[in-house]
Amino acid sequence: MSEEKKVCIVGSGNWGSVIAKIVGNNVTASANFHNRVPMYVYEEMINGEKLTEIINTKHENVKYLPGFKLPENVVAVPDIVEAAKDADILVFVVPHQFVGGLCKQLNGKLKPGALAVSLIKGLDISDKGLDLISNVIRKALGIECAVLMGANIAPEVARENYCEATIGCRDREMGRLLKEVFEAPYFRIVVVNDEQTVELCGALKNIVAVGAGFVDGLKYGDNTKAAVIRLGLMEMVKFCEEFFQSNVSGYRADEFMRICGMGDVVVTCYRGRNRLLAEAFVESGKTIEELEAEMLNGQKLQGPPTAAEVYTMLEQKGLTEKFPMFTAVHKICTGEKTPQAFIDCLKNHPEHMMS
């Protein structure tokens, strides 16, 4: 009999806690996995109590996923090295800004043969250019890293409303293993081998969702938002073709029609935190940073920093005019342009350049 696989959740925000709920239940039901699921939790004090102690006694993440019970086999651990030391599968679900620091702590301290899967929707920018978060994890830890992306509003998944997700994984056996880790009757998984496109969809859709929030803040209607979704998806496809298609075999534009692409764009443009905060940005006149502190309960927004990272790359390559929506979102977030400029971008979008 093969050794039971051990799963560690790296992160404990609302999405991390929801995934811990799914994984905790799945490993209990399978003979292929060890029952205990350590979850790395950044330690915080909540009304005089440590968050880890609350999770481990009340089995509820009262800060990031209140009202939902976590399986008792999910154990909150405040030390990342301790949480991950015996893991065969590391599930990364933290804001992309924190990945580099966590990987530095884990480097050289993982179990031989460990695998990773990233649920992180963002990109990494450095002096070497733009990179995928999965590649950051691969390079920093020397392990394989798949991705899981989907149209997944965390509280809806926690309520076990039906939803879907896409796993991008080049290794077929690893893909089967990860499907067993994550799939539930209400959380259906499709595995594809185009890791790159799946991950890029998850990152870029947040920029589009910020644009949708601008439209809501300006009191335009659903017709306008439909245009945002359509044009935003066009720029997502074009960006992948421009920067990443030549770097991977098996690139398929139809991956954008999966739940990780079109599905995620639609739900995020109507329900996601990027849309919500961008709407408040227009209505309140406050900065993105002020609203993030006021509205997100300690969580981080992904759309504006991803827009900044994408804009840096577009500017370096002289391509800002080919991606007017991505460019406009960044400049509005930084105060260089007013929100009304986003409507001008839609009206004057050079579709002929996208063909």
Side-chain angles (χ1 to χ4, degrees):
M1 183 176 178
S2 60
E3 181 184 356
E4 294 176 333
K5 301 290 186 184
K6 297 178 180 179
V7 184
C8 170
I9 312 295
V10 181
S12 58
N14 64 347
W15 187 218
S17 297
V18 172
I19 285 299
K21 177 176 179 284
I22 293 173
V23 173
N25 287 328
N26 282 354
V27 299
T28 299
S30 174
N32 294 326
F33 299 97
H34 192 278
N35 188 59
R36 183 178 184 271
V37 179
M39 177 174 70
Y40 166 64
V41 176
Y42 178 78
E43 193 68 278
E44 301 177 64
M45 299 301 294
I46 309 293
N47 297 323
E49 293 184 78
K50 293 180 178 179
L51 181 57
T52 53
E53 293 180 357
I54 296 172
I55 292 172
N56 289 336
T57 55
K58 297 182 179 178
H59 307 291
E60 179 184 353
N61 189 334
V62 296
K63 180 167 185 180
Y64 296 112
L65 195 68
F68 296 95
K69 288 294 183 182
L70 298 176
E72 293 188 10
N73 60 322
V74 174
V75 180
V77 181
D79 185 300
I80 181 60
V81 175
E82 178 66 24
K85 66 179 182 180
D86 295 322
D88 297 285
I89 301 170
L90 294 106
V91 181
F92 281 85
V93 54
V94 294
H96 75 277
Q97 300 95 316
F98 301 146
V99 172
L102 290 172
C103 285
K104 284 182 181 179
Q105 294 182 61
L106 292 172
N107 187 28
K109 298 173 184 176
L110 297 178
K111 184 177 181 179
L115 306 170
V117 55
S118 172
L119 281 62
I120 300 167
K121 297 180 176 181
L123 296 168
D124 179 72
I125 187 75
S126 68
D127 54 4
K128 297 180 180 178
L130 201 64
D131 206 355
L132 303 172
I133 297 299
S134 61
N135 284 338
V136 173
I137 295 170
R138 286 189 190 96
K139 295 170 185 176
L141 300 179
I143 63 177
E144 286 301 312
C145 184
V147 297
L148 182 151
M149 303 286 157
N152 305 136
I153 302 297
E156 294 185 15
V157 184
R159 287 192 289 269
E160 302 188 2
N161 294 352
Y162 177 79
C163 59
E164 301 174 334
T166 307
I167 288 177
C169 184
R170 289 192 291 263
D171 185 291
R172 182 172 295 183
E173 291 303 315
M174 182 179 174
R176 288 197 187 106
L177 179 66
L178 294 176
K179 184 178 174 106
E180 187 176 356
V181 170
F182 294 109
E183 188 162 71
Y186 61 90
F187 191 63
R188 307 304 292 183
I189 302 290
V190 174
V191 182
V192 301
N193 64 7
D194 188 352
E195 298 172 351
Q196 185 168 258
T197 305
V198 172
E199 185 170 2
L200 282 164
C201 284
L204 297 174
K205 60 90 183 181
N206 282 327
I207 305 177
V208 182
V210 172
F214 293 157
V215 164
D216 288 338
L218 292 166
K219 307 306 179 188
Y220 284 75
D222 287 340
N223 291 341
T224 308
K225 189 177 288 187
V228 173
I229 292 170
R230 184 183 72 84
L231 293 170
L233 191 64
M234 289 173 63
E235 290 198 15
M236 287 169 59
V237 174
K238 187 66 176 179
F239 187 88
C240 292
E241 291 174 347
E242 189 78 48
F243 289 98
F244 289 96
Q245 181 177 2
S246 62
N247 298 333
V248 66
S249 61
Y251 170 89
R252 295 174 59 199
D254 60 358
E255 301 298 0
F256 288 91
M257 296 299 105
R258 295 190 184 274
I259 198 69
C260 62
M262 175 62 83
D264 204 3
V265 172
V266 171
V267 75
T268 309
C269 284
Y270 278 92
R271 286 289 314 280
R273 69 181 68 156
N274 288 279
R275 186 220 64 82
L276 179 67
L277 196 142
E279 180 183 30
F281 174 81
V282 175
E283 294 177 340
S284 70
K286 296 180 180 179
T287 67
I288 293 292
E289 293 76 17
E290 288 171 335
L291 291 167
E292 185 180 61
E294 291 177 11
M295 298 174 64
L296 296 188
N297 192 32
Q299 299 188 98
K300 293 294 183 181
L301 202 65
Q302 299 300 306
T306 301
E309 291 154 358
V310 165
Y311 179 77
T312 297
M313 179 61 70
L314 294 177
E315 190 176 39
Q316 288 175 354
K317 302 291 185 180
L319 295 173
T320 56
E321 291 185 1
K322 291 184 70 173
F323 297 87
M325 182 182 291
F326 288 176
T327 298
V329 166
H330 169 67
K331 290 188 174 183
I332 293 167
C333 285
T334 58
E336 187 175 341
K337 290 189 174 183
T338 66
Q340 183 61 41
F342 190 73
I343 303 301
D344 297 334
C345 165
L346 299 180
K347 290 178 180 178
N348 301 307
H349 197 281
E351 282 198 66
H352 62 280
M353 296 178 64
M354 306 300 291
S355 61

